[in-house]
Amino acid sequence: MNRRRFFKNGSLVALGSALINPFQSTAETLDFSSTFKNKKAKNIIFLVSDGMSTGTLNMADLYLNRTYGKGSNWLQLYKDNKVSRALMDTASASSIVTDSAAGSSSWGGGFRVPNGALNVSESGEHHLPLWQKFKKAGKKAGCVTTVPITHATPAGFCVNSESRGSQAEIAEMYLDLGFDVLMGGGDNYFSASKRKDQKDLYAAFTAKGYQVVHSRTTFEKITLDKPILGVFDQDALPYYVDRMHDEQLQKEIPSLAEMAQIAIDNMKDHPKGFVLQIESGKVDWAAHANDVAGLIHEQIQFDEAIKVALDFAEKNQETLVIITTDHGNANPGILYGKEANTQFDSIQKYKHSNEWILNAIHADFSASGIQELVEKANGMALSEENAKTLLGYYTGLEKEDGGLYNFKKLPFKVFSEMQKKSNSVGWISMDHSADYVELAAYGPGSQLLKPFVQNTDLHYLMLAAAEVENKF
């Protein structure tokens, strides 16, 4: 699809102009056609909650409402009628169930590619990624994430690669392409001591004029006159719920919202504007693990980043903000039952992710030691029988458990089934789903959003909103 075709097929949606909401008289009705008509998006902020099923968005909103009396920033945008809203088809070229590489590439390159590839078609054709197009148009470009900065979703906006697994090579591509802000995890792909070729990419980025930061201490000293490479952990960043209950992690690791704010501050005064992708990547990882505390709090961390983006965009009025996910994952939901309210509220006592709990268990634990650990981390009474079942996975009595990001073969599924009996949260799987997903847009170009889109449509919408020709 080219830009001309997009304009021909696109519909100008004025959700607020023709409808009066009889149920919310206090909400201001926003007329998209008049507010943003004939305005160009100087800046674009694209927010991705990776692997977010609708149930994840729902549970995070309910959790926030029931814990703090105020729901999520994302759903508040719907309630206040501030955004255009759509459903999006997330399929890849090879499957109706996409992976994150093909999902991000559909936005990044404007074409569907096979799962596992980054902007490279099955025939080998390379599609120029969107952030490269915007760099050629003179804009600054950046990505921030809670997983390795070289991971599939940021890479899909930035590079071409036949394999998403080529993360060491992707780190070198970032250096050559000169993106302005790169923050997340991924020390394994930049450090000379961890790369197979022993190249010191940190030294290379520094020589090219980047500020290279590794901790909150250096993060807080970032100046806004130089590009930024921030790498804060070996692989992905720790789960937000674990960071919230660990003072040392709070000192070492910035939040997604804090990284987003620094990225915006670094690029906002550029005369030709900027483009920024913000990803909560461990929403997907938590869904793969059926890890309810990890999932809900990663979604909350993403929601805090939404506020940072919208606060800037509402003041700036030249910024298109897109909020979405690349695919569903595990399809969690709160199950019917007379104790559903109380049981779901028990998650408010969870101080740690299941990853933290299950990594803390070792073969020399006793059943009572596991019970004490779970009580401390979840506020949940685990039966002796269940404790012995868990212990069996560490002593070789039980078979290995599944989950994509489960390299230690921890018993994630078994433990989530134990939790379900007391928290009322169920899961349909430990993997991606083909769901149509939520999509919201605010700012210049949001009026171009149709009620139902394919993932590739967003590539052309962003070019059209920024009035950048698709000629590169």
Side-chain angles (χ1 to χ4, degrees):
M1 180 186 288
N2 60 31
R3 182 170 176 263
R4 182 178 297 176
R5 180 180 168 193
F6 178 83
F7 273 128
K8 182 178 179 181
N9 294 341
S11 59
L12 297 177
V13 182
L15 293 179
S17 60
L19 298 174
I20 297 176
N21 183 351
F23 304 108
Q24 195 171 4
S25 59
T26 58
E28 293 184 10
T29 302
L30 186 61
D31 184 345
F32 293 108
S33 60
S34 63
T35 302
F36 300 117
K37 186 177 181 181
N38 299 323
K39 286 189 176 181
K40 180 173 72 172
K42 180 180 179 182
N43 313 307
I44 297 173
I45 302 175
F46 194 103
L47 294 113
V48 185
S49 177
D50 196 298
M52 187 202 77
S53 297
T54 303
T56 300
L57 177 61
N58 173 207
M59 288 197 301
D61 186 71
L62 284 171
Y63 179 93
L64 288 168
N65 257 312
R66 297 180 70 82
T67 306
Y68 304 107
K70 187 178 183 300
S72 67
N73 293 305
W74 188 336
L75 291 190
Q76 192 62 46
L77 293 171
Y78 292 170
K79 294 172 185 177
D80 292 344
N81 199 26
K82 281 189 173 181
V83 290
S84 295
R85 181 185 181 188
L87 283 177
M88 180 170 60
D89 176 352
T90 63
S92 72
S94 58
S95 176
I96 57 174
V97 184
T98 192
D99 80 332
S100 292
S104 185
S105 296
S106 68
W107 303 322
F111 294 86
R112 286 179 167 173
V113 300
N115 288 345
L118 293 164
N119 298 303
V120 179
S121 69
E122 194 169 21
S123 64
E125 183 180 3
H126 285 216
H127 307 293
L128 189 66
L130 192 60
W131 268 203
Q132 290 190 44
K133 291 181 180 180
F134 281 126
K135 283 287 286 183
K136 289 177 184 294
K139 296 184 183 296
K140 286 190 172 184
C143 296
V144 299
T145 182
T146 56
V147 296
I149 191 61
T150 50
H151 213 256
T153 301
F157 272 42
C158 297
V159 304
N160 300 96
S161 177
E162 292 182 359
S163 172
R164 61 179 287 177
S166 302
Q167 295 192 67
E169 291 80 5
I170 291 168
E172 291 188 78
M173 293 180 198
Y174 288 164
L175 176 66
D176 294 337
L177 292 166
F179 295 111
D180 301 276
V181 176
L182 298 163
M183 287 190 283
D187 180 65
N188 291 334
Y189 311 108
F190 292 88
S191 173
S193 64
K194 295 170 185 173
R195 289 175 56 95
K196 290 182 179 179
D197 59 12
Q198 298 184 327
K199 289 182 180 179
D200 187 350
L201 289 197
Y202 292 130
F205 273 90
T206 300
K208 203 169 181 178
Y210 282 77
Q211 302 169 85
V212 177
V213 296
H214 298 291
S215 68
R216 173 176 288 283
T217 303
T218 50
F219 176 82
E220 292 175 346
K221 296 178 181 178
I222 286 174
T223 62
L224 303 179
D225 57 346
K226 295 180 180 180
I228 302 167
L229 173 65
V231 181
F232 303 105
D233 213 322
Q234 293 183 23
D235 196 55
L237 305 187
Y239 278 112
Y240 198 39
V241 66
D242 297 324
R243 177 180 171 273
M244 287 167 54
H245 295 93
D246 186 320
E247 290 185 5
Q248 188 59 38
L249 287 179
Q250 290 178 42
K251 293 177 182 178
E252 295 173 356
I253 310 292
S255 71
L256 184 63
E258 290 168 329
M259 290 189 287
Q261 187 66 67
I262 288 291
I264 291 170
D265 289 345
N266 181 273
M267 298 190 291
K268 67 183 181 182
D269 294 327
H270 187 60
K272 293 191 176 181
F274 70 88
V275 291
L276 173 66
Q277 183 200 84
I278 301 170
E279 183 206 18
S280 185
K282 289 191 77 171
V283 169
D284 184 64
W285 294 30
H288 279 299
N290 289 182
D291 187 338
V292 68
L295 184 83
I296 288 175
H297 287 280
E298 289 305 302
Q299 185 64 32
I300 290 171
Q301 179 171 213
F302 179 73
D303 203 64
E304 292 171 356
I306 289 175
K307 186 177 188 304
V308 169
L310 262 293
D311 283 352
F312 171 76
E314 287 184 320
K315 292 176 183 177
N316 174 265
Q317 289 293 296
E318 292 183 293
T319 302
L320 170 63
V321 178
I322 296 173
I323 309 167
T324 191
T325 181
D326 50 356
H327 52 76
N329 189 345
N331 294 68
I334 304 167
L335 306 175
Y336 180 78
K338 63 180 181 180
E339 301 297 329
N341 289 19
T342 302
Q343 291 189 334
F344 180 71
D345 288 346
S346 72
I347 299 170
Q348 296 172 22
K349 299 177 182 178
Y350 289 19
K351 296 180 180 179
H352 287 289
S353 66
N354 291 357
E355 180 180 88
W356 184 95
I357 295 168
L358 296 178
N359 271 312
I361 299 173
H362 299 286
D364 58 356
F365 264 52
S366 64
S368 62
I370 293 176
Q371 288 175 296
E372 290 174 9
L373 177 69
V374 172
E375 173 67 32
K376 176 183 176 182
N378 277 181
M380 182 179 88
L382 189 70
S383 72
E384 182 179 6
E385 179 184 0
N386 282 340
K388 289 180 177 178
T389 297
L390 287 179
L391 187 59
Y393 286 88
Y394 297 84
T395 57
L397 298 176
E398 300 287 352
K399 296 179 180 179
E400 294 177 345
D401 202 359
L404 183 61
Y405 297 104
N406 185 11
F407 309 113
K408 297 181 180 179
K409 305 301 181 184
L410 300 173
F412 283 122
K413 185 173 182 61
V414 170
F415 190 45
S416 73
E417 288 294 320
M418 294 174 183
Q419 290 174 315
K420 180 173 72 172
K421 296 175 182 178
S422 63
N423 65 25
S424 290
V425 174
W427 312 74
I428 69 162
S429 75
M430 301 182 80
D431 216 335
H432 297 183
S433 57
D435 303 22
Y436 298 145
V437 299
E438 285 285 341
L439 169 62
Y442 171 89
S446 61
Q447 75 275 13
L448 300 173
L449 187 65
K450 296 181 289 183
F452 186 85
V453 296
Q454 287 192 353
N455 42 16
T456 51
D457 291 341
L458 295 189
H459 179 96
Y460 305 99
L461 185 150
M462 286 185 273
L463 288 172
E467 297 182 7
V468 172
E469 291 291 339
N470 192 21
K471 61 184 179 180
F472 301 109

